[in-house]
Amino acid sequence: MKRFPSPTVRQLIVAFTAACGAWSATGCENDEPELPPEQAPAARAIEFDIQHVARIQADRSFSVANLVLVLQPDRGSGGSMGVTLTTSQPAADGSRLTLGTFEKAESLEALARNTIDFGGAALYDPRGNGIFTPLGAYQPKLASIRISSHDESQVSGTIRGDFYHFKPGQTTLRPSVIFIEAAFSAKLIVK
């Protein structure tokens, strides 16, 4: 006499067979589930804020748009703040400007009474202070920013000083030193 599997196993086999039959009846012959189509990330349109721009005179004349001056007061120690003049968005060719430091000043008015000094070594740092363009990078040797006017939404001033000029593709070679003078207008952001 033949023995059949217990009713629980038999029920599992019947259920599995029924599921396979239903699956093949739907015409699904592909073993992989259908995935939704991938959506490419939307390209962010580059906007030019020509009201907030730096007009730079170096070994050539050029402009960098979308400037903001970010002030970050140090609420812990008081009497000092982080100051960064930077581009809110690089240009289509990748041109950008970033000059940041920590200054002893309690307010924008106090900051405007003094110069904001920057200095550095002749070592190329693509993430450091400087003006970066496709035709070269300019990093401060000894330069300063002077704020000439300001209100609650924007500031104007000048950038002057000696900058190391690194040529594209030659960033490991000794850079030349050039004098840069620029006038700027920037949107003011106080954090």
Side-chain angles (χ1 to χ4, degrees):
M1 184 166 183
K2 291 186 175 180
R3 280 192 87 174
F4 292 101
S6 66
T8 308
V9 174
R10 184 181 301 150
Q11 290 173 348
L12 289 174
I13 293 172
V14 170
F16 178 74
T17 306
C20 288
W23 180 71
S24 61
T26 62
C28 297
E29 296 175 7
N30 188 358
D31 291 343
E32 296 180 21
E34 187 175 323
L35 299 174
E38 284 189 36
Q39 293 180 352
R44 182 177 170 193
I46 295 177
E47 299 174 15
F48 291 102
D49 180 0
I50 56 172
Q51 184 179 2
H52 301 109
V53 65
R55 290 172 183 79
I56 301 166
Q57 181 62 45
D59 55 337
R60 61 189 175 90
S61 296
F62 59 98
S63 296
V64 178
N66 303 326
L67 287 183
V68 294
L69 180 69
V70 181
L71 303 180
Q72 297 171 297
D74 183 4
R75 300 194 193 333
S77 66
S80 57
M81 66 174 65
V83 179
T84 307
L85 180 65
T86 188
T87 49
S88 60
Q89 180 177 349
D93 66 358
S95 295
R96 61 189 171 80
L97 178 148
T98 300
L99 295 170
T101 190
F102 202 68
E103 282 292 311
K104 289 203 174 279
E106 295 180 6
S107 64
L108 179 58
E109 290 77 20
L111 195 62
R113 287 192 292 268
N114 300 317
T115 60
I116 305 163
D117 298 317
F118 301 90
L123 299 172
Y124 179 68
D125 182 4
R127 295 173 292 167
N129 282 337
I131 305 165
F132 301 90
T133 72
L135 298 177
Y138 306 87
Q139 293 186 251
K141 176 180 180 184
L142 185 57
S144 62
I145 291 177
R146 181 106 175 133
I147 296 174
S148 56
S149 66
H150 60 86
D151 60 27
E152 55 276 342
S153 63
Q154 66 182 17
V155 296
S156 297
T158 58
I159 303 168
R160 297 179 54 116
D162 291 326
F163 282 73
Y164 294 110
H165 178 218
F166 296 90
K167 295 180 181 174
Q170 299 177 349
T171 56
T172 58
L173 298 179
R174 184 180 178 114
S176 58
V177 176
I178 62 170
F179 182 77
I180 289 183
E181 189 165 23
F184 72 88
S185 176
K187 186 185 299 185
L188 177 62
I189 299 174
V190 180
K191 293 192 173 192

